[in-house]
Amino acid sequence: EAQLVESGGALVQPGESLRLSCAASGFPFRNYWMSWVRQTPGKALEWLADIHPEGTNKLYVDSVRGRFTISRDNAKNTLHLQMDSLRAEDTAIYYCARDVGISKSSNWSFDAWGQGTLVIVSS
Amino acid sequence: EIVLTQSPGTLSLSPGERATLSCRASQGDSYLAWYQQKPGQAPRLLIYGTSNRATGIPDRFSGSGSGTDFTLTISRLEPEDFAVYFCQQYGDSLYTFGQGTKLEIK
């Protein structure tokens, strides 16, 4: 059974940086696209970024492009999210999730999620 | 960018009743997924590819629709089904979620 465990959430000040990690187990991590998704205090879900199994292709939502960087270490079965220039509106629970779908189609979803890690950006 | 609009915002029903949740997309021709989220938990995939149940999901959950209009139906509500439900689509290299429907006990 796939298991994802996030870590690294914290209380930080606006403008600061934070690095989140997600440890994966129970499945061949190197075979899957992986994503970061956040949930705001108002409970809205927002997909942030995903990364190709080999780390060669990365996609971002406009709201974080240029500030956040997704990466992975397949040798350690770990996904990361480097978050720079944090803003108050980045306050959320951050989840890592496993992408599943059919290549070159719109049939993509998330079939495994971690428990989330809380990031609070406040002065 | 696809915008997903879920309705109603809140649905009040009793155990044993049938629940019908709606998700409307601003653009057509994409598959839809549905997730269930309970307080303090991560979302859980229920339906993918518009109508396929994820592993371990009871058959009282079903998804349907096409184009821009999609529906999640729970045929007979169990106490554990009261939760928040989100729809999701993938298109133009990004994922989009609806704002959620809260299913509460009447």
Short mmCIF file of all heavy atoms in Angstrom, two decimals, chain A residues 33 35 37 39 43-47 50 59-62 95 99-100 105-116, chain B residues 29-31 33 35 37 40-45 47-50 52 86 88-91 93-99:
data_model
loop_
_atom_site.label_atom_id
_atom_site.label_comp_id
_atom_site.label_asym_id
_atom_site.label_seq_id
_atom_site.Cartn_x
_atom_site.Cartn_y
_atom_site.Cartn_z
N TRP A 33 4.70 10.11 -11.66
CA TRP A 33 4.62 11.54 -11.49
C TRP A 33 4.13 11.78 -10.05
O TRP A 33 3.32 11.03 -9.52
CB TRP A 33 3.58 12.14 -12.45
CG TRP A 33 4.01 12.30 -13.86
CD1 TRP A 33 4.04 11.35 -14.84
CD2 TRP A 33 4.43 13.52 -14.47
NE1 TRP A 33 4.45 11.89 -16.02
CE2 TRP A 33 4.71 13.22 -15.84
CE3 TRP A 33 4.60 14.84 -14.03
CZ2 TRP A 33 5.15 14.19 -16.74
CZ3 TRP A 33 5.03 15.80 -14.93
CH2 TRP A 33 5.30 15.47 -16.26
N SER A 35 2.97 15.07 -7.17
CA SER A 35 2.48 16.45 -7.08
C SER A 35 2.52 16.97 -5.65
O SER A 35 2.56 16.20 -4.68
CB SER A 35 1.03 16.52 -7.56
OG SER A 35 0.92 16.53 -8.94
N VAL A 37 -0.05 19.53 -3.48
CA VAL A 37 -1.37 20.16 -3.47
C VAL A 37 -1.53 20.82 -2.10
O VAL A 37 -1.11 20.25 -1.09
CB VAL A 37 -2.50 19.11 -3.66
CG1 VAL A 37 -3.88 19.77 -3.57
CG2 VAL A 37 -2.33 18.37 -4.98
N GLN A 39 -4.11 23.03 0.77
CA GLN A 39 -5.49 23.32 1.18
C GLN A 39 -5.46 24.52 2.12
O GLN A 39 -4.83 24.49 3.18
CB GLN A 39 -6.13 22.13 1.87
CG GLN A 39 -7.61 22.32 2.17
CD GLN A 39 -8.31 21.01 2.46
OE1 GLN A 39 -7.75 20.11 3.08
NE2 GLN A 39 -9.55 20.88 2.00
N LYS A 43 -10.46 25.91 3.13
CA LYS A 43 -10.67 24.52 2.69
C LYS A 43 -10.58 24.32 1.18
O LYS A 43 -10.83 23.22 0.71
CB LYS A 43 -11.98 23.94 3.22
CG LYS A 43 -12.08 23.97 4.73
CD LYS A 43 -10.98 23.18 5.39
CE LYS A 43 -11.13 23.13 6.89
NZ LYS A 43 -9.99 22.44 7.54
N ALA A 44 -10.24 25.36 0.42
CA ALA A 44 -10.07 25.17 -1.02
C ALA A 44 -8.81 24.36 -1.29
O ALA A 44 -7.78 24.54 -0.63
CB ALA A 44 -10.01 26.51 -1.73
N LEU A 45 -8.89 23.48 -2.28
CA LEU A 45 -7.73 22.71 -2.71
C LEU A 45 -7.11 23.36 -3.94
O LEU A 45 -7.82 23.76 -4.87
CB LEU A 45 -8.14 21.28 -3.07
CG LEU A 45 -8.55 20.37 -1.92
CD1 LEU A 45 -9.20 19.10 -2.44
CD2 LEU A 45 -7.35 20.03 -1.05
N GLU A 46 -5.78 23.46 -3.94
CA GLU A 46 -5.07 24.05 -5.07
C GLU A 46 -3.87 23.17 -5.41
O GLU A 46 -2.98 22.97 -4.58
CB GLU A 46 -4.60 25.47 -4.75
CG GLU A 46 -3.87 26.13 -5.91
CD GLU A 46 -3.35 27.52 -5.56
OE1 GLU A 46 -3.07 27.78 -4.38
OE2 GLU A 46 -3.21 28.35 -6.48
N TRP A 47 -3.84 22.66 -6.64
CA TRP A 47 -2.66 21.95 -7.12
C TRP A 47 -1.55 22.97 -7.38
O TRP A 47 -1.79 24.05 -7.95
CB TRP A 47 -3.00 21.21 -8.41
CG TRP A 47 -1.80 20.64 -9.10
CD1 TRP A 47 -1.14 19.49 -8.79
CD2 TRP A 47 -1.09 21.22 -10.19
NE1 TRP A 47 -0.07 19.32 -9.63
CE2 TRP A 47 -0.02 20.36 -10.51
CE3 TRP A 47 -1.26 22.38 -10.96
CZ2 TRP A 47 0.88 20.62 -11.54
CZ3 TRP A 47 -0.38 22.65 -11.98
CH2 TRP A 47 0.68 21.77 -12.26
N ASP A 50 3.84 19.54 -10.30
CA ASP A 50 4.16 18.12 -10.36
C ASP A 50 5.45 17.90 -11.11
O ASP A 50 6.00 18.82 -11.75
CB ASP A 50 3.00 17.25 -10.85
CG ASP A 50 2.64 17.45 -12.31
OD1 ASP A 50 3.26 18.28 -13.00
OD2 ASP A 50 1.71 16.75 -12.76
N LEU A 59 5.99 21.02 -13.81
CA LEU A 59 4.91 21.93 -14.15
C LEU A 59 4.45 22.65 -12.89
O LEU A 59 4.44 22.05 -11.81
CB LEU A 59 3.75 21.15 -14.78
CG LEU A 59 4.09 20.42 -16.08
CD1 LEU A 59 2.98 19.45 -16.46
CD2 LEU A 59 4.32 21.43 -17.20
N TYR A 60 4.05 23.92 -13.04
CA TYR A 60 3.65 24.73 -11.90
C TYR A 60 2.38 25.51 -12.20
O TYR A 60 2.13 25.92 -13.34
CB TYR A 60 4.74 25.74 -11.55
CG TYR A 60 6.06 25.14 -11.13
CD1 TYR A 60 7.06 24.90 -12.07
CD2 TYR A 60 6.31 24.83 -9.80
CE1 TYR A 60 8.27 24.35 -11.69
CE2 TYR A 60 7.52 24.28 -9.40
CZ TYR A 60 8.49 24.04 -10.35
OH TYR A 60 9.70 23.50 -9.96
N VAL A 61 1.61 25.78 -11.16
CA VAL A 61 0.50 26.71 -11.29
C VAL A 61 1.07 28.12 -11.26
O VAL A 61 2.14 28.37 -10.69
CB VAL A 61 -0.53 26.50 -10.16
CG1 VAL A 61 0.04 26.95 -8.82
CG2 VAL A 61 -1.84 27.16 -10.46
N ASP A 62 0.38 29.06 -11.90
CA ASP A 62 0.90 30.43 -12.02
C ASP A 62 1.21 31.07 -10.67
O ASP A 62 2.18 31.82 -10.54
CB ASP A 62 -0.11 31.30 -12.77
CG ASP A 62 -0.13 31.01 -14.26
OD1 ASP A 62 0.77 30.29 -14.74
OD2 ASP A 62 -1.06 31.49 -14.93
N TYR A 95 0.02 19.02 0.96
CA TYR A 95 -0.02 17.58 0.76
C TYR A 95 0.87 17.19 -0.43
O TYR A 95 0.89 17.88 -1.45
CB TYR A 95 -1.43 17.12 0.41
CG TYR A 95 -2.48 17.30 1.47
CD1 TYR A 95 -3.38 18.36 1.41
CD2 TYR A 95 -2.61 16.39 2.51
CE1 TYR A 95 -4.38 18.52 2.37
CE2 TYR A 95 -3.60 16.54 3.48
CZ TYR A 95 -4.47 17.61 3.40
OH TYR A 95 -5.46 17.76 4.35
N ASP A 99 0.35 11.05 -8.68
CA ASP A 99 -0.45 11.22 -9.90
C ASP A 99 -0.66 9.86 -10.55
O ASP A 99 0.28 9.08 -10.68
CB ASP A 99 0.29 12.08 -10.94
CG ASP A 99 0.63 13.47 -10.46
OD1 ASP A 99 0.71 13.71 -9.24
OD2 ASP A 99 0.85 14.34 -11.33
N VAL A 100 -1.86 9.62 -11.00
CA VAL A 100 -2.11 8.44 -11.81
C VAL A 100 -2.95 8.83 -13.01
O VAL A 100 -3.85 9.66 -12.90
CB VAL A 100 -2.83 7.31 -11.04
CG1 VAL A 100 -1.88 6.65 -10.07
CG2 VAL A 100 -4.05 7.84 -10.32
N SER A 105 -3.64 12.14 -22.24
CA SER A 105 -5.09 12.25 -22.10
C SER A 105 -5.38 13.17 -20.92
O SER A 105 -4.47 13.63 -20.24
CB SER A 105 -5.73 10.88 -21.84
OG SER A 105 -5.65 10.54 -20.47
N SER A 106 -6.64 13.43 -20.69
CA SER A 106 -7.03 14.26 -19.54
C SER A 106 -7.40 13.42 -18.33
O SER A 106 -7.86 13.94 -17.32
CB SER A 106 -8.21 15.16 -19.93
OG SER A 106 -9.34 14.35 -20.23
N ASN A 107 -7.22 12.11 -18.44
CA ASN A 107 -7.63 11.20 -17.38
C ASN A 107 -6.53 11.06 -16.34
O ASN A 107 -5.85 10.04 -16.28
CB ASN A 107 -8.00 9.83 -17.98
CG ASN A 107 -8.70 8.94 -16.98
OD1 ASN A 107 -8.85 9.29 -15.81
ND2 ASN A 107 -9.14 7.79 -17.42
N TRP A 108 -6.36 12.12 -15.53
CA TRP A 108 -5.36 12.12 -14.47
C TRP A 108 -6.00 12.52 -13.15
O TRP A 108 -6.86 13.41 -13.10
CB TRP A 108 -4.22 13.11 -14.80
CG TRP A 108 -3.29 12.59 -15.85
CD1 TRP A 108 -3.46 12.69 -17.20
CD2 TRP A 108 -2.08 11.88 -15.65
NE1 TRP A 108 -2.41 12.08 -17.85
CE2 TRP A 108 -1.55 11.58 -16.93
CE3 TRP A 108 -1.38 11.45 -14.52
CZ2 TRP A 108 -0.36 10.88 -17.10
CZ3 TRP A 108 -0.18 10.76 -14.68
CH2 TRP A 108 0.31 10.48 -15.96
N SER A 109 -5.57 11.86 -12.08
CA SER A 109 -6.08 12.16 -10.75
C SER A 109 -5.02 11.78 -9.73
O SER A 109 -3.90 11.42 -10.10
CB SER A 109 -7.39 11.41 -10.50
OG SER A 109 -7.22 10.02 -10.71
N PHE A 110 -5.36 11.87 -8.44
CA PHE A 110 -4.43 11.59 -7.36
C PHE A 110 -4.95 10.44 -6.52
O PHE A 110 -5.97 10.57 -5.85
CB PHE A 110 -4.27 12.83 -6.47
CG PHE A 110 -3.89 14.07 -7.21
CD1 PHE A 110 -4.80 15.10 -7.36
CD2 PHE A 110 -2.63 14.22 -7.75
CE1 PHE A 110 -4.46 16.25 -8.05
CE2 PHE A 110 -2.28 15.37 -8.44
CZ PHE A 110 -3.20 16.39 -8.59
N ASP A 111 -4.23 9.31 -6.54
CA ASP A 111 -4.77 8.13 -5.86
C ASP A 111 -4.11 7.85 -4.52
O ASP A 111 -4.49 6.89 -3.84
CB ASP A 111 -4.69 6.90 -6.76
CG ASP A 111 -3.28 6.39 -6.94
OD1 ASP A 111 -2.34 7.17 -6.73
OD2 ASP A 111 -3.13 5.21 -7.30
N ALA A 112 -3.15 8.63 -4.12
CA ALA A 112 -2.55 8.47 -2.80
C ALA A 112 -2.15 9.86 -2.31
O ALA A 112 -1.62 10.67 -3.08
CB ALA A 112 -1.35 7.55 -2.84
N TRP A 113 -2.40 10.12 -1.03
CA TRP A 113 -2.11 11.40 -0.42
C TRP A 113 -1.40 11.18 0.92
O TRP A 113 -1.67 10.21 1.63
CB TRP A 113 -3.41 12.16 -0.13
CG TRP A 113 -4.25 12.53 -1.30
CD1 TRP A 113 -4.90 11.67 -2.15
CD2 TRP A 113 -4.54 13.85 -1.76
NE1 TRP A 113 -5.59 12.38 -3.11
CE2 TRP A 113 -5.39 13.72 -2.88
CE3 TRP A 113 -4.19 15.13 -1.33
CZ2 TRP A 113 -5.88 14.83 -3.58
CZ3 TRP A 113 -4.68 16.23 -2.02
CH2 TRP A 113 -5.52 16.07 -3.14
N GLY A 114 -0.54 12.13 1.26
CA GLY A 114 0.01 12.12 2.60
C GLY A 114 -0.97 12.74 3.58
O GLY A 114 -2.08 13.13 3.20
N GLN A 115 -0.57 12.85 4.82
CA GLN A 115 -1.45 13.41 5.86
C GLN A 115 -1.36 14.93 5.91
O GLN A 115 -2.18 15.58 6.56
CB GLN A 115 -1.10 12.81 7.24
CG GLN A 115 0.02 13.51 7.99
CD GLN A 115 1.40 13.31 7.36
OE1 GLN A 115 1.60 12.47 6.49
NE2 GLN A 115 2.37 14.07 7.85
N GLY A 116 -0.38 15.50 5.21
CA GLY A 116 -0.24 16.95 5.14
C GLY A 116 0.69 17.51 6.19
O GLY A 116 0.90 16.94 7.26
N ASP B 29 -14.81 18.16 -22.64
CA ASP B 29 -13.86 17.18 -23.19
C ASP B 29 -12.76 16.73 -22.23
O ASP B 29 -11.67 16.36 -22.67
CB ASP B 29 -13.20 17.72 -24.47
CG ASP B 29 -14.22 17.99 -25.55
OD1 ASP B 29 -15.21 17.22 -25.63
OD2 ASP B 29 -14.06 18.97 -26.28
N SER B 30 -13.01 16.78 -20.91
CA SER B 30 -12.04 16.24 -19.95
C SER B 30 -12.72 15.26 -19.03
O SER B 30 -13.91 15.38 -18.74
CB SER B 30 -11.41 17.36 -19.12
OG SER B 30 -10.58 18.18 -19.89
N TYR B 31 -11.96 14.29 -18.56
CA TYR B 31 -12.47 13.37 -17.56
C TYR B 31 -12.57 14.09 -16.21
O TYR B 31 -11.97 15.15 -16.00
CB TYR B 31 -11.54 12.17 -17.42
CG TYR B 31 -11.49 11.29 -18.64
CD1 TYR B 31 -10.54 11.50 -19.64
CD2 TYR B 31 -12.38 10.23 -18.78
CE1 TYR B 31 -10.48 10.69 -20.76
CE2 TYR B 31 -12.33 9.41 -19.90
CZ TYR B 31 -11.39 9.64 -20.88
OH TYR B 31 -11.34 8.83 -21.98
N ALA B 33 -12.64 13.55 -11.76
CA ALA B 33 -12.41 12.72 -10.57
C ALA B 33 -13.18 13.33 -9.40
O ALA B 33 -13.43 14.54 -9.38
CB ALA B 33 -10.93 12.64 -10.25
N TYR B 35 -13.35 13.28 -4.98
CA TYR B 35 -12.66 12.96 -3.74
C TYR B 35 -13.60 13.20 -2.56
O TYR B 35 -14.44 14.09 -2.60
CB TYR B 35 -11.43 13.86 -3.55
CG TYR B 35 -10.41 13.71 -4.66
CD1 TYR B 35 -10.56 14.44 -5.84
CD2 TYR B 35 -9.34 12.84 -4.54
CE1 TYR B 35 -9.65 14.31 -6.87
CE2 TYR B 35 -8.42 12.70 -5.57
CZ TYR B 35 -8.59 13.43 -6.73
OH TYR B 35 -7.69 13.29 -7.76
N GLN B 37 -13.44 14.05 1.60
CA GLN B 37 -12.56 14.48 2.67
C GLN B 37 -13.33 14.59 3.98
O GLN B 37 -14.33 15.29 4.05
CB GLN B 37 -11.89 15.81 2.35
CG GLN B 37 -10.83 16.19 3.39
CD GLN B 37 -10.11 17.47 3.05
OE1 GLN B 37 -10.67 18.40 2.48
NE2 GLN B 37 -8.82 17.54 3.41
N GLY B 40 -9.91 16.60 9.40
CA GLY B 40 -8.60 16.18 9.86
C GLY B 40 -7.92 15.15 9.00
O GLY B 40 -6.85 14.66 9.36
N GLN B 41 -8.52 14.82 7.86
CA GLN B 41 -7.94 13.81 6.97
C GLN B 41 -7.63 14.41 5.60
O GLN B 41 -8.17 15.44 5.22
CB GLN B 41 -8.90 12.64 6.80
CG GLN B 41 -9.19 11.87 8.07
CD GLN B 41 -10.08 10.67 7.83
OE1 GLN B 41 -10.26 10.21 6.69
NE2 GLN B 41 -10.64 10.12 8.89
N ALA B 42 -6.76 13.72 4.87
CA ALA B 42 -6.48 14.10 3.49
C ALA B 42 -7.64 13.66 2.60
O ALA B 42 -8.43 12.77 2.96
CB ALA B 42 -5.20 13.42 3.03
N PRO B 43 -7.77 14.28 1.45
CA PRO B 43 -8.77 13.80 0.49
C PRO B 43 -8.49 12.35 0.10
O PRO B 43 -7.35 11.89 0.11
CB PRO B 43 -8.59 14.73 -0.72
CG PRO B 43 -7.98 15.97 -0.14
CD PRO B 43 -7.08 15.49 0.96
N ARG B 44 -9.57 11.64 -0.25
CA ARG B 44 -9.46 10.25 -0.70
C ARG B 44 -10.13 10.13 -2.06
O ARG B 44 -11.27 10.59 -2.23
CB ARG B 44 -10.13 9.32 0.30
CG ARG B 44 -10.13 7.86 -0.13
CD ARG B 44 -10.73 6.93 0.90
NE ARG B 44 -12.16 7.06 1.08
CZ ARG B 44 -13.00 6.06 1.37
NH1 ARG B 44 -12.51 4.82 1.46
NH2 ARG B 44 -14.28 6.28 1.56
N LEU B 45 -9.44 9.52 -3.00
CA LEU B 45 -10.01 9.35 -4.35
C LEU B 45 -11.17 8.38 -4.31
O LEU B 45 -11.03 7.25 -3.82
CB LEU B 45 -8.92 8.84 -5.30
CG LEU B 45 -9.33 8.61 -6.75
CD1 LEU B 45 -9.72 9.92 -7.43
CD2 LEU B 45 -8.20 7.93 -7.53
N ILE B 47 -13.69 8.41 -7.32
CA ILE B 47 -14.02 8.16 -8.72
C ILE B 47 -12.95 8.79 -9.59
O ILE B 47 -12.55 9.92 -9.35
CB ILE B 47 -15.39 8.79 -9.09
CG1 ILE B 47 -16.52 8.23 -8.23
CG2 ILE B 47 -15.67 8.59 -10.59
CD1 ILE B 47 -16.90 6.81 -8.52
N TYR B 48 -12.48 8.06 -10.61
CA TYR B 48 -11.56 8.61 -11.59
C TYR B 48 -12.09 8.31 -12.98
O TYR B 48 -12.94 7.41 -13.15
CB TYR B 48 -10.14 8.04 -11.41
CG TYR B 48 -10.03 6.56 -11.71
CD1 TYR B 48 -9.66 6.11 -12.96
CD2 TYR B 48 -10.32 5.62 -10.71
CE1 TYR B 48 -9.57 4.76 -13.24
CE2 TYR B 48 -10.23 4.26 -10.97
CZ TYR B 48 -9.85 3.84 -12.24
OH TYR B 48 -9.77 2.49 -12.50
N GLY B 49 -11.59 9.07 -13.96
CA GLY B 49 -12.06 8.84 -15.33
C GLY B 49 -13.57 8.97 -15.45
O GLY B 49 -14.18 8.22 -16.22
N THR B 50 -14.16 9.87 -14.68
CA THR B 50 -15.59 10.21 -14.68
C THR B 50 -16.49 9.16 -14.02
O THR B 50 -17.42 9.50 -13.27
CB THR B 50 -16.11 10.47 -16.12
OG1 THR B 50 -15.37 11.55 -16.69
CG2 THR B 50 -17.59 10.81 -16.12
N ASN B 52 -15.25 5.60 -12.96
CA ASN B 52 -14.58 4.42 -12.44
C ASN B 52 -14.33 4.55 -10.94
O ASN B 52 -13.72 5.52 -10.49
CB ASN B 52 -13.24 4.21 -13.14
CG ASN B 52 -13.40 4.09 -14.64
OD1 ASN B 52 -13.83 3.05 -15.14
ND2 ASN B 52 -13.08 5.14 -15.37
N PHE B 86 -15.07 16.87 -3.30
CA PHE B 86 -14.45 17.75 -4.29
C PHE B 86 -14.41 17.05 -5.65
O PHE B 86 -14.13 15.85 -5.72
CB PHE B 86 -13.01 18.09 -3.90
CG PHE B 86 -12.86 18.91 -2.65
CD1 PHE B 86 -12.67 18.30 -1.43
CD2 PHE B 86 -12.89 20.30 -2.70
CE1 PHE B 86 -12.52 19.05 -0.28
CE2 PHE B 86 -12.74 21.06 -1.55
CZ PHE B 86 -12.55 20.43 -0.33
N GLN B 88 -12.49 17.25 -9.56
CA GLN B 88 -11.16 17.64 -10.08
C GLN B 88 -11.04 17.25 -11.55
O GLN B 88 -11.51 16.19 -11.95
CB GLN B 88 -10.07 16.97 -9.26
CG GLN B 88 -8.66 17.07 -9.82
CD GLN B 88 -8.21 15.79 -10.47
OE1 GLN B 88 -8.28 14.72 -9.88
NE2 GLN B 88 -7.72 15.87 -11.71
N GLN B 89 -10.43 18.14 -12.32
CA GLN B 89 -10.12 17.83 -13.71
C GLN B 89 -8.68 18.16 -14.00
O GLN B 89 -8.03 18.93 -13.29
CB GLN B 89 -11.02 18.64 -14.66
CG GLN B 89 -12.35 18.02 -14.94
CD GLN B 89 -13.04 18.63 -16.14
OE1 GLN B 89 -12.84 19.79 -16.48
NE2 GLN B 89 -13.91 17.86 -16.78
N TYR B 90 -8.18 17.56 -15.08
CA TYR B 90 -6.84 17.84 -15.58
C TYR B 90 -6.97 18.35 -17.01
O TYR B 90 -7.65 17.76 -17.84
CB TYR B 90 -6.00 16.57 -15.56
CG TYR B 90 -4.62 16.76 -16.15
CD1 TYR B 90 -3.61 17.33 -15.40
CD2 TYR B 90 -4.36 16.39 -17.47
CE1 TYR B 90 -2.35 17.52 -15.94
CE2 TYR B 90 -3.11 16.58 -18.02
CZ TYR B 90 -2.10 17.13 -17.25
OH TYR B 90 -0.86 17.33 -17.79
N GLY B 91 -6.30 19.48 -17.28
CA GLY B 91 -6.31 20.01 -18.63
C GLY B 91 -5.30 21.13 -18.77
O GLY B 91 -5.00 21.82 -17.79
N SER B 93 -2.19 21.07 -18.92
CA SER B 93 -1.03 20.81 -18.05
C SER B 93 -1.21 21.30 -16.62
O SER B 93 -0.22 21.63 -15.95
CB SER B 93 0.25 21.43 -18.65
OG SER B 93 0.53 20.85 -19.90
N LEU B 94 -2.43 21.39 -16.16
CA LEU B 94 -2.62 21.68 -14.75
C LEU B 94 -3.91 21.05 -14.25
O LEU B 94 -4.81 20.72 -15.02
CB LEU B 94 -2.60 23.18 -14.48
CG LEU B 94 -3.61 24.09 -15.17
CD1 LEU B 94 -4.92 24.14 -14.39
CD2 LEU B 94 -3.03 25.51 -15.25
N TYR B 95 -3.93 20.84 -12.93
CA TYR B 95 -5.09 20.25 -12.28
C TYR B 95 -5.94 21.36 -11.64
O TYR B 95 -5.39 22.32 -11.11
CB TYR B 95 -4.65 19.32 -11.16
CG TYR B 95 -3.90 18.08 -11.58
CD1 TYR B 95 -2.52 18.10 -11.75
CD2 TYR B 95 -4.57 16.88 -11.78
CE1 TYR B 95 -1.84 16.95 -12.10
CE2 TYR B 95 -3.90 15.72 -12.14
CZ TYR B 95 -2.53 15.77 -12.30
OH TYR B 95 -1.86 14.62 -12.64
N THR B 96 -7.25 21.17 -11.69
CA THR B 96 -8.17 22.14 -11.09
C THR B 96 -9.16 21.39 -10.21
O THR B 96 -9.64 20.31 -10.58
CB THR B 96 -8.95 22.89 -12.17
OG1 THR B 96 -8.03 23.55 -13.04
CG2 THR B 96 -9.86 23.94 -11.55
N PHE B 97 -9.48 21.99 -9.05
CA PHE B 97 -10.46 21.43 -8.13
C PHE B 97 -11.69 22.34 -8.06
O PHE B 97 -11.57 23.56 -8.19
CB PHE B 97 -9.89 21.31 -6.72
CG PHE B 97 -8.81 20.27 -6.57
CD1 PHE B 97 -7.48 20.59 -6.75
CD2 PHE B 97 -9.14 18.97 -6.24
CE1 PHE B 97 -6.49 19.64 -6.60
CE2 PHE B 97 -8.17 18.00 -6.08
CZ PHE B 97 -6.83 18.34 -6.27
N GLY B 98 -12.83 21.71 -7.80
CA GLY B 98 -14.02 22.48 -7.45
C GLY B 98 -13.90 22.96 -6.01
O GLY B 98 -12.99 22.57 -5.27
N GLN B 99 -14.85 23.79 -5.60
CA GLN B 99 -14.78 24.41 -4.28
C GLN B 99 -15.33 23.51 -3.18
O GLN B 99 -15.20 23.82 -1.99
CB GLN B 99 -15.52 25.75 -4.27
CG GLN B 99 -17.02 25.68 -4.09
CD GLN B 99 -17.78 25.31 -5.36
OE1 GLN B 99 -17.21 24.87 -6.36
NE2 GLN B 99 -19.09 25.53 -5.32
#
